[in-house]
Amino acid sequence: RLLGDREYFMAFQQMNRAIQNPVFFLVFFGAMVLLPVCAWRYYNTPIFSMVAVAAGSYVLGVIAVTIFGNVPINNTIEAADINASAASLKQLRTTVEASWNRLNTIRTCYSVLSIVTIVLACIKYSK
C-alpha cells in the first residue's frame, strides 16, 4: 500500500471525477457500439467469429463488469467522508479495495483479449 487510507480515498475520488469527461465516454462507449456493428457487418464471413469474440469480450468483460461491478464501488468511494476516523476509513478500504482490484483485473484481461483478437483479425484478413 503506497497510500494511507485517507490519501487513497482522496486520490480515488479525484480520479473518479477526472475520468468522467466526453473523450473518455466516447472511447469507452464508442468501442461498445462499434465492435458489435463490425461483427454484424462481417456476419457470414471468415472474420466474423474473431470480431464477434472481440465484441463479446468488450461488452461483457469490460462494459458489463464496469457498470455492474466497478461503478457501484466507485460510487461508494465517492461518497466516502475523507474526514472520517482512521478506523472508519481503514474498514471502508478493507471492504472495497480487494473487490475493486479484482474487477479491474477482469476488465483488463477482457480488454486485452478484445484488442488482441481484433488486431489479429485485421492482420489475418487484411488484403
Side-chain angles (χ1 to χ4, degrees):
R1 290 184 163 182
L2 298 175
L3 296 175
D5 298 329
R6 181 167 279 109
E7 293 78 15
Y8 171 84
F9 286 110
M10 288 173 61
F12 216 112
Q13 288 172 350
Q14 289 301 313
M15 286 186 292
N16 278 343
R17 293 173 194 141
I19 199 83
Q20 295 180 26
N21 65 72
V23 173
F24 171 78
F25 286 122
L26 179 65
V27 172
F28 189 72
F29 291 110
M32 178 188 77
V33 172
L34 291 176
L35 284 169
V37 167
C38 287
W40 173 77
R41 163 63 180 85
Y42 289 104
Y43 186 72
N44 281 334
T45 68
I47 196 173
F48 170 75
S49 60
M50 292 180 81
V51 177
V53 166
S57 296
Y58 193 80
V59 171
L60 296 174
V62 178
I63 299 293
V65 170
T66 298
I67 291 171
F68 297 111
N70 290 92
V71 168
I73 296 171
N74 288 359
N75 292 340
T76 298
I77 291 169
E78 185 62 32
D81 177 6
I82 59 170
N83 296 314
S85 70
S88 294
L89 291 174
K90 182 177 181 70
Q91 175 59 41
L92 181 57
R93 185 172 181 176
T94 299
T95 302
V96 299
E97 186 175 27
S99 295
W100 196 95
N101 287 342
R102 181 178 27 72
L103 291 168
N104 195 54
T105 299
I106 291 168
R107 293 187 307 175
T108 301
C109 291
Y110 277 99
S111 182
V112 169
L113 174 62
S114 181
I115 191 68
V116 167
T117 304
I118 201 71
V119 167
L120 289 176
C122 290
I123 292 168
K124 182 174 181 178
Y125 295 102
S126 66
K127 293 180 181 182

